Coordinates of all heavy atoms in Angstrom, one line a residue:
M1 N 2.5 -4.9 -31.9 CA 2.2 -4.6 -33.2 C 2.5 -5.8 -34.1 O 3.6 -6.5 -33.9 CB 3.0 -3.4 -33.7 CG 3.3 -3.1 -35.1 SD 4.3 -1.6 -35.3 CE 4.6 -1.7 -37.0
K2 N 1.7 -6.2 -35.1 CA 1.8 -7.4 -35.8 C 2.5 -7.1 -37.2 O 2.2 -6.1 -37.7 CB 0.4 -8.0 -36.0 CG -0.4 -8.3 -34.8 CD 0.1 -9.4 -34.1 CE -0.9 -9.7 -33.0 NZ -0.3 -10.7 -32.0
Y3 N 3.2 -8.0 -37.5 CA 3.9 -8.0 -38.9 C 3.4 -9.3 -39.6 O 3.4 -10.4 -39.0 CB 5.4 -8.1 -38.7 CG 6.0 -6.8 -38.2 CD1 6.0 -6.6 -36.8 CD2 6.6 -5.8 -39.0 CE1 6.5 -5.5 -36.2 CE2 7.1 -4.7 -38.4 CZ 7.1 -4.5 -37.0 OH 7.7 -3.4 -36.5
R4 N 3.1 -9.1 -40.9 CA 2.7 -10.2 -41.7 C 3.5 -10.3 -43.0 O 3.8 -9.3 -43.5 CB 1.3 -10.2 -42.0 CG 0.3 -10.5 -40.9 CD -1.1 -10.5 -41.4 NE -2.1 -10.7 -40.4 CZ -3.4 -10.8 -40.5 NH1 -3.9 -10.6 -41.7 NH2 -4.2 -10.9 -39.5
R5 N 3.8 -11.5 -43.4 CA 4.3 -11.7 -44.7 C 3.5 -12.8 -45.5 O 3.1 -13.8 -44.7 CB 5.8 -12.0 -44.7 CG 6.2 -13.2 -44.1 CD 7.7 -13.5 -44.5 NE 8.2 -14.6 -43.8 CZ 7.9 -15.9 -44.1 NH1 7.2 -16.1 -45.2 NH2 8.5 -17.0 -43.5
K6 N 3.4 -12.7 -46.6 CA 2.8 -13.9 -47.4 C 3.8 -15.1 -47.4 O 4.9 -14.9 -47.5 CB 2.6 -13.4 -48.9 CG 1.6 -14.2 -49.7 CD 0.2 -13.8 -49.5 CE -0.7 -14.6 -50.4 NZ -2.1 -14.5 -50.1
N7 N 3.1 -16.2 -47.3 CA 4.0 -17.4 -47.4 C 4.8 -17.4 -48.7 O 4.3 -17.1 -49.8 CB 3.1 -18.7 -47.4 CG 3.2 -19.4 -46.2 OD1 4.2 -19.5 -45.5 ND2 2.2 -20.1 -45.8
G8 N 6.1 -17.6 -48.6 CA 7.0 -17.6 -49.7 C 7.5 -16.2 -50.1 O 8.3 -16.2 -51.1
S9 N 7.1 -15.2 -49.4 CA 7.6 -13.9 -49.6 C 8.5 -13.4 -48.5 O 8.3 -13.9 -47.4 CB 6.4 -12.9 -49.8 OG 6.9 -11.6 -49.7
D10 N 9.5 -12.5 -48.8 CA 10.3 -12.1 -47.7 C 10.0 -10.6 -47.4 O 10.8 -9.9 -46.7 CB 11.8 -12.3 -47.9 CG 12.3 -11.5 -49.2 OD1 11.5 -10.9 -49.8 OD2 13.5 -11.7 -49.4
T11 N 8.9 -10.1 -47.9 CA 8.5 -8.7 -47.6 C 7.5 -8.7 -46.5 O 6.4 -9.2 -46.6 CB 8.0 -8.0 -48.9 OG1 8.9 -8.1 -49.9 CG2 7.6 -6.6 -48.6
W12 N 7.8 -8.0 -45.4 CA 6.8 -7.8 -44.3 C 6.0 -6.6 -44.3 O 6.4 -5.5 -44.7 CB 7.7 -7.8 -43.0 CG 8.4 -9.0 -42.6 CD1 9.7 -9.4 -43.0 CD2 7.8 -10.2 -41.9 NE1 9.9 -10.6 -42.5 CE2 8.9 -11.1 -41.8 CE3 6.6 -10.5 -41.3 CZ2 8.7 -12.4 -41.1 CZ3 6.5 -11.7 -40.6 CH2 7.4 -12.6 -40.6
H13 N 4.7 -6.8 -44.0 CA 3.8 -5.7 -43.9 C 3.3 -5.5 -42.5 O 3.3 -6.4 -41.7 CB 2.5 -6.0 -44.8 CG 2.8 -6.3 -46.2 ND1 2.7 -5.3 -47.2 CD2 3.3 -7.5 -46.8 CE1 3.1 -5.9 -48.3 NE2 3.4 -7.2 -48.1
F14 N 3.1 -4.1 -42.1 CA 2.7 -3.9 -40.8 C 1.5 -2.9 -40.7 O 1.0 -2.6 -39.7 CB 3.8 -3.3 -39.9 CG 4.6 -2.2 -40.5 CD1 4.2 -0.9 -40.2 CD2 5.7 -2.4 -41.3 CE1 4.9 0.2 -40.7 CE2 6.3 -1.3 -41.8 CZ 5.9 0.0 -41.6
C15 N 1.0 -2.5 -41.9 CA -0.2 -1.6 -41.9 C -1.4 -2.5 -42.4 O -1.3 -3.0 -43.5 CB 0.0 -0.5 -42.9 SG 1.4 0.6 -42.5
T16 N -2.4 -2.5 -41.6 CA -3.6 -3.3 -42.0 C -4.2 -2.8 -43.2 O -5.0 -3.4 -43.9 CB -4.6 -3.5 -40.9 OG1 -5.1 -2.2 -40.5 CG2 -3.9 -4.1 -39.7
N17 N -4.0 -1.5 -43.5 CA -4.7 -0.8 -44.6 C -3.7 -0.8 -45.8 O -4.1 0.0 -46.8 CB -5.1 0.6 -44.3 CG -4.1 1.5 -43.8 OD1 -3.1 1.0 -43.2 ND2 -4.3 2.8 -43.9
C18 N -2.6 -1.5 -45.8 CA -1.8 -1.7 -47.0 C -2.5 -2.4 -48.1 O -3.3 -3.4 -47.7 CB -0.6 -2.4 -46.6 SG 0.6 -2.7 -48.0
S19 N -2.4 -2.0 -49.3 CA -3.1 -2.7 -50.4 C -2.7 -4.2 -50.5 O -3.4 -5.0 -51.1 CB -3.0 -2.0 -51.7 OG -1.6 -2.0 -52.1
K20 N -1.5 -4.4 -50.0 CA -1.0 -5.8 -50.0 C -1.0 -6.5 -48.7 O -0.3 -7.6 -48.5 CB 0.4 -5.8 -50.7 CG 0.4 -5.4 -52.1 CD 1.8 -5.1 -52.6 CE 2.3 -3.8 -52.1 NZ 3.6 -3.3 -52.6
W21 N -1.6 -6.1 -47.7 CA -1.7 -6.7 -46.4 C -2.3 -8.1 -46.6 O -3.3 -8.3 -47.1 CB -2.6 -5.9 -45.5 CG -2.8 -6.4 -44.1 CD1 -4.1 -7.1 -43.7 CD2 -2.1 -6.5 -43.0 NE1 -4.0 -7.5 -42.4 CE2 -2.7 -7.2 -41.9 CE3 -0.7 -6.1 -42.8 CZ2 -2.1 -7.4 -40.7 CZ3 -0.2 -6.4 -41.6 CH2 -0.8 -7.0 -40.5
P22 N -1.4 -9.1 -46.2 CA -1.9 -10.5 -46.4 C -3.1 -10.9 -45.6 O -3.1 -10.6 -44.4 CB -0.7 -11.3 -46.0 CG 0.4 -10.3 -46.1 CD -0.1 -9.0 -45.6
T23 N -4.1 -11.4 -46.1 CA -5.3 -11.9 -45.4 C -5.4 -13.4 -45.5 O -6.4 -14.0 -44.7 CB -6.6 -11.3 -45.9 OG1 -6.7 -11.5 -47.3 CG2 -6.5 -9.7 -45.6
S24 N -4.7 -14.1 -46.2 CA -4.7 -15.5 -46.2 C -3.3 -16.1 -46.6 O -2.6 -15.4 -47.3 CB -5.7 -16.1 -47.3 OG -5.4 -15.7 -48.6
D25 N -3.0 -17.3 -46.1 CA -1.8 -17.9 -46.5 C -0.5 -17.0 -46.1 O 0.3 -16.7 -46.9 CB -1.7 -18.2 -48.0 CG -0.5 -19.2 -48.3 OD1 -0.2 -19.9 -47.4 OD2 0.0 -19.1 -49.5
Y26 N -0.5 -16.6 -44.8 CA 0.5 -15.6 -44.3 C 1.2 -16.2 -43.1 O 0.7 -17.1 -42.4 CB -0.1 -14.3 -44.1 CG -1.1 -14.2 -43.1 CD1 -0.9 -14.2 -41.7 CD2 -2.5 -14.2 -43.5 CE1 -1.9 -14.1 -40.8 CE2 -3.5 -14.2 -42.5 CZ -3.2 -14.1 -41.2 OH -4.2 -14.1 -40.3
V27 N 2.3 -15.6 -42.7 CA 3.0 -15.8 -41.5 C 2.9 -14.5 -40.7 O 3.0 -13.4 -41.2 CB 4.5 -16.1 -41.7 CG1 5.2 -16.3 -40.4 CG2 4.7 -17.3 -42.6
E28 N 2.5 -14.6 -39.4 CA 2.4 -13.5 -38.5 C 3.3 -13.5 -37.4 O 3.6 -14.6 -36.8 CB 0.9 -13.3 -38.1 CG 0.6 -12.1 -37.3 CD -0.8 -11.8 -37.0 OE1 -1.3 -12.5 -36.0 OE2 -1.5 -11.1 -37.6
R29 N 3.9 -12.4 -37.0 CA 4.7 -12.3 -35.8 C 4.4 -11.0 -35.1 O 3.9 -10.1 -35.7 CB 6.2 -12.4 -36.0 CG 6.7 -11.5 -37.1 CD 8.3 -11.8 -37.2 NE 8.9 -11.4 -36.1 CZ 10.1 -11.9 -35.6 NH1 10.7 -12.8 -36.3 NH2 10.7 -11.4 -34.6
D30 N 4.7 -10.9 -33.8 CA 4.3 -9.7 -33.1 C 5.5 -8.9 -32.6 O 5.4 -8.0 -31.7 CB 3.4 -10.0 -31.9 CG 3.9 -11.1 -31.0 OD1 5.1 -11.4 -31.1 OD2 3.1 -11.7 -30.3
S31 N 6.7 -9.1 -33.2 CA 7.8 -8.2 -33.0 C 8.5 -7.9 -34.3 O 8.2 -8.6 -35.3 CB 8.8 -8.9 -32.0 OG 9.2 -10.1 -32.5
K32 N 9.3 -7.0 -34.3 CA 10.0 -6.5 -35.5 C 10.7 -7.7 -36.2 O 11.5 -8.3 -35.5 CB 10.9 -5.4 -35.3 CG 11.4 -4.7 -36.5 CD 12.0 -3.3 -36.3 CE 12.4 -2.8 -37.6 NZ 12.4 -1.4 -37.7
P33 N 10.5 -7.9 -37.5 CA 11.2 -9.1 -38.1 C 12.7 -8.9 -38.2 O 13.2 -7.7 -38.3 CB 10.6 -9.1 -39.6 CG 9.3 -8.3 -39.4 CD 9.6 -7.3 -38.4
T34 N 13.5 -9.9 -38.1 CA 14.9 -9.8 -38.1 C 15.5 -10.3 -39.5 O 16.6 -10.2 -39.8 CB 15.6 -10.7 -37.0 OG1 15.0 -12.0 -37.1 CG2 15.2 -10.2 -35.7
T35 N 14.6 -10.8 -40.3 CA 14.9 -11.3 -41.6 C 14.0 -10.7 -42.7 O 12.9 -10.2 -42.3 CB 14.8 -12.8 -41.8 OG1 13.5 -13.3 -41.6 CG2 15.8 -13.5 -40.8
G36 N 14.4 -10.7 -44.0 CA 13.5 -10.1 -45.0 C 13.6 -8.6 -44.9 O 14.5 -8.0 -44.3
E37 N 12.5 -8.0 -45.6 CA 12.5 -6.5 -45.6 C 11.2 -6.0 -45.5 O 10.2 -6.8 -45.5 CB 13.1 -6.0 -47.0 CG 12.4 -6.7 -48.2 CD 13.1 -6.3 -49.4 OE1 14.3 -6.6 -49.5 OE2 12.4 -5.7 -50.3
L38 N 11.1 -4.7 -45.0 CA 9.8 -4.1 -44.8 C 9.2 -3.5 -46.1 O 10.0 -3.0 -47.0 CB 9.9 -3.0 -43.7 CG 10.3 -3.5 -42.4 CD1 10.6 -2.4 -41.4 CD2 9.3 -4.5 -41.8
D39 N 7.9 -3.7 -46.3 CA 7.3 -3.2 -47.5 C 7.3 -1.7 -47.7 O 7.2 -1.0 -46.7 CB 5.8 -3.6 -47.4 CG 5.0 -3.2 -48.6 OD1 5.5 -3.4 -49.7 OD2 3.9 -2.7 -48.4
N40 N 7.6 -1.2 -48.8 CA 7.8 0.2 -49.2 C 6.4 0.9 -48.9 O 6.5 2.1 -48.4 CB 8.2 0.4 -50.6 CG 9.6 0.0 -50.8 OD1 10.4 0.1 -49.8 ND2 10.0 -0.4 -52.0
E41 N 5.3 0.4 -49.3 CA 4.0 1.0 -49.1 C 3.7 1.2 -47.6 O 3.3 2.2 -47.2 CB 2.9 0.1 -49.8 CG 1.5 0.9 -49.7 CD 0.5 0.2 -50.5 OE1 0.8 -0.6 -51.4 OE2 -0.7 0.3 -50.0
C42 N 4.0 0.1 -46.8 CA 3.8 0.3 -45.4 C 4.7 1.4 -44.8 O 4.2 2.2 -44.0 CB 4.1 -1.1 -44.7 SG 2.9 -2.3 -45.1
Q43 N 5.9 1.5 -45.2 CA 6.8 2.4 -44.7 C 6.4 3.8 -45.2 O 6.5 4.8 -44.4 CB 8.2 2.2 -45.2 CG 8.8 0.9 -44.6 CD 10.3 0.7 -44.8 OE1 11.1 1.2 -44.1 NE2 10.6 0.2 -46.0
A44 N 5.8 4.0 -46.4 CA 5.3 5.3 -46.8 C 4.1 5.7 -46.0 O 4.0 6.8 -45.6 CB 4.9 5.2 -48.3
K45 N 3.3 4.8 -45.6 CA 2.1 5.1 -44.8 C 2.5 5.5 -43.4 O 2.0 6.4 -42.8 CB 1.2 3.9 -44.7 CG 0.4 3.6 -46.0 CD -0.6 2.5 -45.7 CE -1.4 2.1 -46.9 NZ -2.1 3.2 -47.6
E46 N 3.6 4.8 -42.9 CA 4.1 5.1 -41.6 C 4.6 6.5 -41.6 O 4.4 7.3 -40.7 CB 5.2 4.1 -41.2 CG 6.0 4.4 -40.0 CD 5.2 4.1 -38.7 OE1 4.0 3.7 -38.8 OE2 5.8 4.2 -37.6
N47 N 5.3 6.9 -42.7 CA 5.9 8.3 -42.8 C 4.9 9.4 -42.9 O 5.1 10.4 -42.4 CB 6.9 8.3 -43.9 CG 8.1 7.4 -43.7 OD1 8.5 7.2 -42.6 ND2 8.8 7.1 -44.8
N48 N 3.8 9.1 -43.5 CA 2.8 10.1 -43.7 C 1.7 10.0 -42.6 O 0.7 10.8 -42.7 CB 2.3 10.3 -45.1 CG 1.5 9.2 -45.6 OD1 0.9 8.4 -44.8 ND2 1.5 9.0 -46.9
G49 N 1.8 9.1 -41.7 CA 0.8 9.0 -40.6 C -0.5 8.4 -40.9 O -1.5 8.5 -40.2
T50 N -0.5 7.5 -42.0 CA -1.9 6.9 -42.4 C -1.8 5.4 -42.1 O -2.6 4.6 -42.6 CB -2.2 7.2 -43.8 OG1 -1.3 6.7 -44.7 CG2 -2.4 8.7 -44.0
C51 N -0.7 4.9 -41.4 CA -0.6 3.4 -41.2 C -1.5 3.0 -40.1 O -1.4 3.5 -39.0 CB 0.8 3.1 -40.9 SG 1.1 1.4 -40.6
S52 N -2.5 2.0 -40.4 CA -3.3 1.4 -39.3 C -2.6 0.2 -38.8 O -2.4 -0.7 -39.6 CB -4.6 1.1 -39.9 OG -5.3 2.2 -40.3
K53 N -2.2 0.1 -37.6 CA -1.5 -1.0 -37.1 C -2.4 -1.9 -36.3 O -3.4 -1.5 -35.6 CB -0.4 -0.6 -36.2 CG 0.7 0.1 -37.0 CD 1.7 0.9 -36.1 CE 2.6 1.7 -37.0 NZ 3.2 2.7 -36.1
K54 N -2.1 -3.3 -36.3 CA -2.9 -4.3 -35.6 C -2.0 -4.5 -34.3 O -0.8 -4.9 -34.4 CB -2.9 -5.5 -36.4 CG -3.7 -6.6 -35.7 CD -3.9 -7.8 -36.8 CE -4.9 -8.8 -36.2 NZ -4.1 -10.1 -35.9
Q55 N -2.7 -4.3 -33.2 CA -1.9 -4.5 -31.9 C -2.0 -5.9 -31.4 O -2.9 -6.6 -31.8 CB -2.4 -3.5 -30.8 CG -2.4 -2.1 -31.2 CD -0.9 -1.6 -31.4 OE1 0.0 -2.1 -30.8 NE2 -0.7 -0.7 -32.4
Ligands
ZN1 ZN1 2.5 -3.4 -47.0

């Protein structure tokens, strides 16, 4: 599963359908980030089962 953050931001996104999912100028990693924080919107989607993840 992929995690992305915008360059210069410390908030990680993991739902491709997040309104703030970075599509340019981002850093991507494929394991859970150890620094920064996870986006609230992504976590809300995860909790209600509407998070689309990129494998
Ligand atoms: Zn997000």
Side-chain angles (χ1 to χ4, degrees):
M1 157 180 175
K2 305 288 190 188
Y3 292 79
R4 285 186 187 182
R5 68 168 172 78
K6 195 86 174 168
N7 251 329
S9 166
D10 63 356
T11 302
W12 291 93
H13 301 266
F14 54 89
C15 303
T16 60
N17 57 336
C18 175
S19 65
K20 290 170 287 187
W21 175 252
T23 54
S24 63
D25 194 27
Y26 59 81
V27 177
E28 186 173 79
R29 55 177 292 154
D30 51 18
S31 59
K32 189 162 178 151
T34 54
T35 60
E37 54 188 57
L38 296 175
D39 180 47
N40 287 336
E41 183 177 334
C42 289
Q43 292 188 95
K45 287 184 183 306
E46 173 76 355
N47 289 338
N48 66 23
T50 60
C51 177
S52 299
K53 292 165 189 163
K54 183 173 185 247
Q55 301 301 324

